[in-house]
Amino acid sequence: NAAKAWAVVRADAYVHGLLRIARALEEVADGFALLELYAAGALREAGFRQPILLLEGFFKPADLTICAEYGLTTAIHRIEQFQMIRDAALPVKLPVYLKLNTGMNRLGFTPDQMPALKRELQRPDGIGPMTLMMHFAEADSARGIDWQLECFTQMTTGMNYPISMANSAAILRYPQTAHDWVRPGIVLY
């Protein structure tokens, strides 16, 4: 099975124009990934029906109503987000991407937070299908990706969920990282 692709259209499609680029990719993108909740809303309002992934997730409870209304997939990168979802009592279960920090050091669960994350996963209230996500910090450098793959493998032992790890550089240099979903971004432009 070939990996599905999230066309990353963050930051106004890397300043090329969100709706213009989304229309150009509409027939080939399995979904769209971006950071901004307002941009996800703009895609839905423009009639795009593909899945939409919020790469940095939501930051306040009010965002969850919009996620449910527009049928968005959201990253979860902090334990507190699970409680926000439970408290929101949404009419739908949100599909989520569990963002794991394997060395990028932006957002995500660190190895020492995995026991708490695994406890939260025992209480799936409000949570729909889950996918594991990480981001390669140096897929285009000499250091490579082995150190992050090792960390990811250790962190996810016993977790059997779809995987999304390949960014633009990894798609080109490490096709073995394609798994279930890839996230081409800058390579599209």
Side-chain angles (χ1 to χ4, degrees):
N1 286 342
K4 292 184 179 180
W6 292 107
V8 179
V9 291
R10 67 184 186 88
D12 196 29
Y14 294 78
V15 303
H16 290 87
L18 174 65
L19 295 179
R20 183 174 139 233
I21 296 300
R23 281 190 186 95
L25 297 172
E26 188 171 13
E27 299 300 318
V28 295
D30 296 299
F32 294 102
L34 39 69
L35 305 178
E36 310 88 356
L37 186 57
Y38 72 86
L43 285 176
R44 284 290 187 248
E45 295 293 325
F48 290 92
R49 304 282 37 109
Q50 289 97 330
I52 298 174
L53 170 63
L54 294 172
L55 290 166
E56 291 186 352
F58 63 94
F59 291 91
K60 56 188 187 286
D63 295 345
L64 291 167
T65 304
I66 298 167
C67 289
E69 177 184 342
Y70 286 126
L72 305 178
T73 300
T74 182
I76 293 182
H77 51 82
R78 310 187 325 255
I79 292 293
E80 298 80 22
Q81 290 174 302
F82 286 98
Q83 190 61 48
M84 283 190 242
I85 290 173
R86 283 194 290 273
D87 290 346
L90 299 170
V92 297
K93 291 182 180 264
L94 288 182
V96 299
Y97 270 47
L98 303 172
K99 190 164 198 153
L100 306 180
N101 182 355
T102 61
M104 187 70 183
N105 297 325
R106 275 194 219 148
L107 295 173
F109 297 101
T110 58
D112 64 326
Q113 294 172 319
M114 290 308 291
L117 172 59
K118 288 179 180 180
R119 280 192 301 275
E120 286 297 326
L121 297 178
Q122 300 305 309
R123 301 174 56 200
D125 308 329
I127 304 290
M130 289 184 268
T131 300
L132 301 173
M133 175 172 62
M134 60 161 288
H135 191 82
F136 289 113
E138 300 181 42
D140 54 359
S141 74
R143 186 174 184 194
I145 64 168
D146 290 345
W147 62 283
Q148 282 190 273
L149 287 175
E150 183 178 321
C151 182
F152 181 84
T153 299
Q154 290 173 0
M155 289 176 74
T156 60
T157 298
M159 299 175 80
N160 188 21
Y161 300 108
I163 296 171
S164 176
M165 62 173 54
N167 56 2
S168 290
I171 291 166
L172 296 174
R173 294 187 70 200
Y174 305 100
Q176 72 274 21
T177 64
H179 294 285
D180 301 290
W181 283 89
V182 295
R183 300 182 315 273
I186 196 70
V187 73
L188 296 173
Y189 306 92

